[in-house]
Every structure is written in C-alpha cells, then in structure tokens.
C-alpha cells in the first residue's frame, strides 16, 4: 500500500494543504491537537472532493442506465457471434459508438478520487512516522500524532504492533476496537448502498448478465473493504466511511427523485407523483414535469410502471401533456357535456294536475 501511495505523492501537498486549512478552523474551536479537529478536517476534505465530483457522478448515473438499456442488444451480439470473438468485440464497439455509451464512465467517481485517497494514506503514514509531509510542518505533524478519535490515534492501524501503538500514546485494545467498528460500518454502508441499488433502482423486466455482475459486487466489495481496512490508518477509515455515507445519501436522493425506468423505485415514485397530481390538479416542479414529459414522449414504448401511471391519471379525469403538465382530460369533459346535453333532451313537459286534466277546454267563441 505504501508503494502505491508513493505513486500519488505529487498530490500530497494539495491534500495536506486542504487538511491544514480546515484544521486551522476546527482547531480554534476544539483545540489544535483534538481528535475532533483533525477528524472533521478529513471529513471536510471528503465533502469538498465529493462536491467537486458531482458532475462525474451524474455521468456515472447516465452511463449505468445506458449500459442497462443496452444489455439485451449486447446479449444478442454475444449469441450471434459467440464463435467469433473479434467480430463480437467490433460489434460491441460499434454499439457503444452509435449509442454514445462509455462503459468506463460508471467508474469515473472511484477513479477520480483514488489519487486523493492514496495521497491521504501517504500523509497519515508520514504522520505515524513523525515526519513532516507536504504542507504539514513538524509542529502540525506532532499535533496530528497526538490527536485521537475515541482513544485511537488517527495514524494508527489495526495491524500495528503494540510498540508502535504505544509510541503514538494509545493502547492496542483501543485501536483495534475503534478500527474494527469503523471497518464493520464501512463494509455495511457499502453493502447497503449496493443492495439498495439492486433492489430498487434496476429494471427488473430485463434479466441480463449485467444484473448478475452487480449482485456479485454487492457481496464482493464489502469483503474487499474489510480485508483492506485492517491496513488502513484510522484517518483513512474516517475518509472512506465518510465517502461511503455520502455515496449512500447521494444514491438515495437519485433513486427517490430520478429512478431508473422499469425499476421498483420508479413505480414508487410514480405512485407519489399520481397522488401529487390528483390532489393539486397539476404537476408542480421542473423535475416532475420533465419526468412526465419523458413518459408522454415514449408513447407505446412505455414500460409497465409508466402505462399504469397514465391509466391511473385517466381514471382520475386527468391527461399528461407533452410539456410535462397535467390538465383535465378532454374525454372526461366531452362525456360530461354529452351527459348534460342528453339530460336536457330528455326533459319532460310540466305535468298537469288531475283537475286540469278533467276540465274540458272551452271552445273559442264564434264570431
């Protein structure tokens, strides 16, 4: 890990400088050598990086959905050219080019933040050795070495020897309890994020190898994090736990506001949207209107969730428009007018009383 981290030493100074700036702010509140000051500095570093990576996250979502939509076509190509791997690859590349899909786009956020992750690891390793690194002079390194999170120094690792932990002013029991809890939380958050994606935000109407791969990753990634976590300093565990929680929250927002077509999340979203439209008689919000407009534009290509939504709107006397708005259905208005017109035609003359019917009408006088 140290060898890999040294490859990203070029970004060590920017990462350490950002941490120092945040530490100067939190140190004034909690104390310069406080674990809260250094821990929150790492958390703030993560938040800053993830905010900068939001455009890449949007690309990742689009790429993932694009890959899901292409799975049936990809499977057909594999079956057609199963004995010709070269032709199969050529057809796959042609399909990606025609649809503007890049399989690597789904990995962009992870790849983009990897240099920051390894740079932070390099910084914390130097702190553990008591060496100045990047923008951190010896005084700041000594302050960071003294900082503890729930009794565990931010530079300590689960696999450190008792002597090394003692040199950082802590006990091996405290370090292992804190790191074990953080590794478990880190793995569980990763598992929940992937499970949430598989259960709610995948088009269940299409069964493809892509879904099986995602299901495997749901179990493999947490194990990888658990195995690697025992060699991560506490500060890196704080970094990775924070980024997992951020990813989980970011994904929950996307699932609730812009779910994958055909998924369970889309069915739940359209159910909420239907209640909103029927209670207000209109669709409010640019995002909601955009989704309704996309459903209208699909026409006969709508999935089961979308057809159910349009049908339910019609039953409520509403009709979705191309601009995403919802208006009173023309058919409903016509039916209402026809009903009222029919009632007018069937209107009976005023009934006469019994005495009026029995009294003969007088003949008009002769002139």
């Amino acid at each position: 890990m140290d060898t890999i981290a040294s490859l990203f030493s070029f970004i060590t100074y920017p990462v350490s400088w950002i941490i120092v700036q945040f530490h100067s702010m939190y140190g004034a509140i909690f104390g310069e050598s406080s674990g809260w000051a250094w821990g929150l500095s790492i958390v703030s570093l993560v938040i800053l990086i993830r905010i900068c990576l939001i455009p890449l996250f949007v690309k990742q979502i689009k790429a993932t959905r694009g890959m899901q939509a292409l799975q049936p076509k990809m499977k057909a190509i594999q079956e057609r050219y199963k004995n010709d791997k070269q032709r199969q690859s050529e057809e796959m590349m042609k399909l990606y080019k025609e649809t503007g899909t890049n399989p690597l786009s789904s990995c962009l956020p992870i790849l983009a933040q990897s240099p920051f992750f390894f740079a932070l690891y390099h910084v914390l390793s130097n702190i553990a050795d008591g060496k100045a690194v990047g923008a951190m002079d010896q005084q700041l390194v000594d302050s960071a070495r003294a900082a503890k999170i729930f009794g565990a120094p931010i530079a300590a690792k689960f696999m450190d020897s008792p002597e090394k932990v003692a040199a950082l002013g802590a006990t091996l029991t405290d370090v292992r309890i804190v790191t074990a809890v953080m590794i478990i939380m880190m793995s569980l958050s990763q598992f929940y994020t992937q499970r949430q994606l598989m259960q709610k935000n995948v088009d269940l109407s299409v069964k493809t190898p892509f879904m099986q791969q995602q299901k495997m990753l749901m179990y493999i990634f947490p194990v990888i994090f658990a195995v690697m976590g025992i060699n991560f300093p506490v500060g890196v565990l704080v970094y990775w736990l924070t980024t997992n929680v951020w990813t989980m929250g970011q994904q929950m927002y996307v699932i609730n506001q812009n779910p994958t077509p055909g998924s369970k999340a889309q069915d739940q979203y359209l159910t909420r949207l239907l209640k909103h439209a029927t209670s207000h008689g209109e669709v409010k919000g640019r995002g909601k209107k955009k989704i309704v407009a996309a459903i209208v534009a699909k026409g006969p290509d709508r999935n089961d969730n979308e057809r159910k939504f349009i049908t339910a709107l019609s039953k409520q006397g509403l009709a979705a428009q191309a601009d995403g708005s919802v208006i009173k259905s023309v058919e409903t208005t016509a039916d209402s007018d026809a009903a009222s017109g029919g009632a007018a035609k069937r209107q009976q003359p005023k009934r006469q009383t019994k005495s009026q019917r029995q009294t003969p009408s007088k003949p008009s006088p002769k002139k």
Side-chain angles (χ1 to χ4, degrees):
M1 182 65 72
D2 291 317
T3 304
I4 298 174
S6 63
L7 296 175
F8 295 92
S9 57
F10 67 91
I11 203 173
T12 297
Y13 189 90
V15 168
S16 60
W17 183 86
I18 293 171
I19 292 175
V20 169
Q21 302 312 306
F22 280 123
H23 175 260
S24 63
M25 178 178 65
Y26 293 123
I29 301 173
F30 300 104
E32 290 187 0
S33 298
S34 167
W36 284 104
W38 287 103
L40 287 174
S41 298
I42 295 172
V43 171
S44 299
L45 170 69
V46 176
I47 293 173
L48 179 63
I49 292 171
R50 293 310 300 265
I51 289 174
C52 294
L53 292 179
I54 285 177
L56 290 181
F57 178 76
V58 173
K59 284 188 177 181
Q60 180 193 32
I61 294 295
K62 290 181 178 179
T64 302
R65 290 185 180 178
M67 289 297 295
Q68 289 176 352
L70 288 180
Q71 289 305 303
K73 294 182 180 179
M74 292 171 65
K75 190 174 182 180
I77 291 173
Q78 290 172 348
E79 291 177 354
R80 184 180 300 175
Y81 303 107
K82 58 183 178 182
N83 297 322
D84 189 348
K85 297 297 182 182
Q86 183 177 353
R87 182 66 185 277
Q88 187 182 116
S89 300
E90 290 174 356
E91 291 296 322
M92 287 288 190
M93 294 303 295
K94 183 180 177 182
L95 180 63
Y96 293 148
K97 188 175 181 179
E98 289 175 351
T99 57
T101 305
N102 185 355
L104 296 178
S105 296
S106 59
C107 304
L108 284 176
I110 295 176
L111 294 175
Q113 64 178 318
S114 294
F116 298 96
F117 169 79
F118 287 114
L120 178 63
Y121 184 93
H122 186 64
V123 169
L124 292 172
S125 295
N126 279 272
I127 289 174
D129 295 334
K131 300 176 182 177
V133 57
M136 298 181 65
D137 57 23
Q138 193 60 47
Q139 183 179 354
L140 285 171
V141 169
D142 293 339
S143 173
R145 277 173 62 86
K148 296 181 178 65
I149 297 176
F150 300 112
I154 64 170
K157 307 173 189 175
F158 183 89
M159 296 300 293
D160 280 347
S161 63
E163 295 77 17
K164 190 170 184 179
V165 172
L168 294 171
T171 64
L172 188 61
T173 301
D174 289 340
V175 170
R176 291 196 169 172
I177 289 174
V178 172
T179 51
V181 170
M182 293 183 73
I183 289 169
I184 291 171
M185 292 175 65
M186 186 175 67
S187 299
L188 287 177
S189 61
Q190 178 67 36
F191 176 79
Y192 179 79
T193 300
Q194 192 68 20
R195 186 171 181 267
Q196 179 182 234
L197 178 67
M198 288 298 302
Q199 287 194 338
K200 289 189 174 184
N201 210 37
V202 171
D203 187 353
L204 300 176
S205 63
V206 181
K207 304 295 183 182
T208 63
F210 178 77
M211 292 179 61
Q212 295 301 321
Q213 292 170 8
Q214 293 296 310
K215 191 174 182 179
M216 288 177 60
L217 292 176
M218 180 173 69
Y219 296 100
I220 292 173
F221 272 152
V223 174
I224 292 174
F225 276 107
V227 173
M228 295 178 63
I230 61 176
N231 293 307
F232 289 166
V234 172
V236 171
L237 293 177
V238 170
Y239 174 96
W240 210 252
L241 178 59
T242 305
T243 198
N244 278 4
V245 172
W246 177 281
T247 302
M248 183 169 61
Q250 197 173 44
Q251 184 172 277
M252 287 176 66
Y253 176 81
V254 171
I255 289 174
N256 287 329
Q257 299 300 319
N258 191 15
T260 298
S263 65
K264 183 179 178 181
Q266 188 196 34
D267 185 29
Q268 295 173 346
Y269 178 85
L270 292 179
T271 300
R272 296 194 303 269
L273 185 57
L274 177 65
K275 291 180 180 179
H276 170 85
T278 52
S279 61
H280 294 88
E282 62 177 339
V283 174
K284 295 181 178 179
R286 185 185 303 175
K288 293 183 177 68
K289 287 185 176 181
K290 189 175 179 181
I291 288 178
V292 173
I295 293 173
V296 172
K298 286 184 178 181
D301 295 329
R302 298 178 189 125
N303 59 48
D304 292 341
N305 295 334
E306 294 160 349
R307 282 193 289 270
K308 186 170 72 172
F309 172 71
I310 294 295
T311 302
L313 275 179
S314 179
K315 288 180 179 179
Q316 296 295 327
L318 300 171
Q321 303 299 298
D323 62 354
S325 61
V326 171
I327 62 172
K328 192 173 181 182
S329 176
V330 176
E331 286 138 357
T332 303
T333 306
D335 290 344
S336 177
D337 292 341
S340 61
K345 290 178 182 178
R346 290 192 299 270
Q347 186 175 3
Q348 299 294 329
K350 187 176 180 181
R351 294 186 63 183
Q352 294 179 332
T353 63
K354 186 176 181 181
S355 60
Q356 286 175 331
R357 290 197 302 272
Q358 290 176 348
T359 304
S361 58
K362 293 181 181 182
S364 57
K366 297 181 180 179
K367 293 184 181 179

